[in-house]
């Protein structure tokens, strides 16, 4: 608690990493880093459990608040709240504000992120359940796809600077489960044309959960959802600064959608 961290010596310097830890409390810190500012991960089978982060200010050139990339051991009970994500070093925008990934076989459960203001980022939110098929430990072969369930994002607002939307996705046969978004509000650039109706978004199952995971073309300007089982949207709005021909929210292979006070229609892909 009470730390000020400026970690800009080399390009892959993180701010704070918690790897396979339990009962962690991080609060009242200011963290500025070239690479990811806050990283919660598991590079071994040791689990990450019961982590609370609050009253902090984070900035980065990469991913600001992050679960992953390495996610071998299970991750459970993560609570990040009352923090500010802002532009920092060199006045260069970060790639992603909130980046939550499970791509190495971990079972991730109960992640709550709330009361967050976001500025100085290109894409505000990326959430991904994938299957990297990577081997980190000589004696442990790559694990099969894990699970990622019970995710709450509440009271998160700010600005995205890139025309790529947020994306919240699983992979075929392995859906994100029980995803809740409440009181989410962002301003985005807008100004893009509609995506051709014949375009098929690639799965890119083994790729890292970066902002351009699917390339530079997605059919939404707000959020693109795919492979989700159980989605609740309550008071969600993305406002483009210029007219944008894409949907605000596009869903593809999403089951059990519940929505209210979503400021534009939800468009379902074929």
């Amino acid at each position: 608690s009470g730390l000020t961290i400026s970690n800009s010596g080399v390009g892959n310097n993180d701010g704070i990493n918690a790897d396979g830890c339990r009962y962690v409390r991080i609060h009242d810190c200011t963290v500025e880093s070239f690479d990811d500012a806050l990283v919660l991960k598991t590079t071994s089978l040791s689990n990450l459990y019961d982590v609370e982060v609050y009253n902090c200010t984070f900035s980065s050139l990469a991913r600001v608040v992050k679960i992953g990339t390495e996610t071998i051991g299970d991750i459970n009970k993560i609570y990040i709240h009352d923090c500010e994500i802002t532009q920092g070093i060199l006045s260069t925008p970060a790639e992603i504000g909130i980046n939550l990934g499970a791509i190495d076989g971990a079972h991730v459960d109960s992640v709550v992120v709330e009361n967050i203001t976001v500025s100085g980022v290109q894409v505000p939110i990326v959430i991904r359940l994938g299957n990297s098929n990577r081997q980190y430990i000589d004696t442990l072969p790559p694990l099969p796809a894990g699970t990622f369930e019970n995710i709450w994002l509440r009271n998160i607002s700010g600005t995205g600077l890139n025309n790529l939307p947020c994306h919240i996705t699983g992979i075929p046969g392995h859906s994100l489960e029980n995803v809740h978004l409440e009181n989410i509000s962002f301003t985005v650039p807008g100004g893009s044309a509609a995506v051709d109706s014949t375009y098929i978004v690639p799965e890119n199952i083994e790729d890292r959960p970066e902002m351009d995971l699917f390339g530079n073309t997605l059919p939404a300007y707000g959020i693109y959802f795919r492979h989700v089982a159980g989605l609740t949207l309550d008071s969600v709005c993305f406002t483009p600064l210029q007219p944008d021909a894409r949907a605000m929210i596009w869903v593809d292979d999403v089951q059990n959608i519940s929505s209210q006070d979503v400021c534009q229609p939800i468009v379902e892909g074929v």
Side-chain angles (χ1 to χ4, degrees), residues 34-71:
F34 268 1
D35 206 359
D36 312 323
L38 172 71
V39 181
L40 309 178
K41 63 182 179 179
T42 50
T43 57
S44 71
L45 290 172
S46 296
N47 296 342
L48 181 74
Y49 176 78
D50 193 353
V51 178
E52 183 178 6
V53 181
Y54 59 97
N55 292 345
C56 292
T57 298
F58 296 107
S59 61
S60 165
L61 298 185
R63 284 73 47 185
V64 186
V65 171
K66 178 178 177 180
I67 292 178
T69 301
E70 298 87 350
T71 44

Side-chain angles (χ1 to χ4, degrees), residues 164-167 195 199 201 211 214-221 224 246:
L164 280 172
C166 304
H167 42 92
V195 173
Y199 179 71
V201 177
M211 70 177 199
F214 304 109
N216 294 317
T217 303
L218 282 171
Y221 65 79
Y224 174 73
R246 298 171 296 173

Side-chain angles (χ1 to χ4, degrees), residues 42-139:
T42 50
T43 57
S44 71
L45 290 172
S46 296
N47 296 342
L48 181 74
Y49 176 78
D50 193 353
V51 178
E52 183 178 6
V53 181
Y54 59 97
N55 292 345
C56 292
T57 298
F58 296 107
S59 61
S60 165
L61 298 185
R63 284 73 47 185
V64 186
V65 171
K66 178 178 177 180
I67 292 178
T69 301
E70 298 87 350
T71 44
I72 300 174
D74 294 345
I75 297 174
N76 184 265
K77 197 178 178 185
I78 306 300
Y79 186 26
I80 302 169
H81 62 98
D82 297 286
C83 291
E84 182 180 5
I85 292 171
T86 186
Q87 189 163 294
I89 296 171
L90 304 177
S91 298
T92 300
E95 295 175 13
I96 302 170
I98 298 166
N99 185 199
L100 312 178
I103 66 169
D104 295 317
H107 300 285
V108 182
D109 189 1
S110 300
V111 176
V112 178
V113 182
E114 65 180 356
N115 304 331
I116 309 291
T117 59
V118 179
S119 62
V121 305
Q122 297 191 60
V123 173
I125 300 166
V126 170
I127 302 177
R128 176 66 164 176
L129 171 61
N131 184 13
S132 72
N133 198 36
R134 292 188 297 177
Q135 183 171 5
Y136 296 98
I137 304 169
D138 290 342
T139 57

Side-chain angles (χ1 to χ4, degrees), residues 134-182:
R134 292 188 297 177
Q135 183 171 5
Y136 296 98
I137 304 169
D138 290 342
T139 57
L140 180 69
L143 299 173
T147 59
F148 199 165
E149 59 187 335
N150 301 317
I151 305 162
W152 282 266
L153 303 181
R154 300 191 192 101
N155 304 328
I156 302 175
S157 62
T159 303
L161 301 176
N162 194 293
N163 260 332
L164 280 172
C166 304
H167 42 92
I168 297 176
T169 62
I171 58 177
H174 301 276
S175 294
L176 292 166
E177 298 183 32
N178 301 326
V179 178
H180 307 262
L181 276 68
E182 179 182 347

Side-chain angles (χ1 to χ4, degrees), residues 208-230:
R208 292 166 59 99
E210 305 290 3
M211 70 177 199
D212 57 355
L213 170 63
F214 304 109
N216 294 317
T217 303
L218 282 171
Y221 65 79
I223 311 178
Y224 174 73
F225 292 96
R226 182 163 65 177
H227 307 312
V228 179

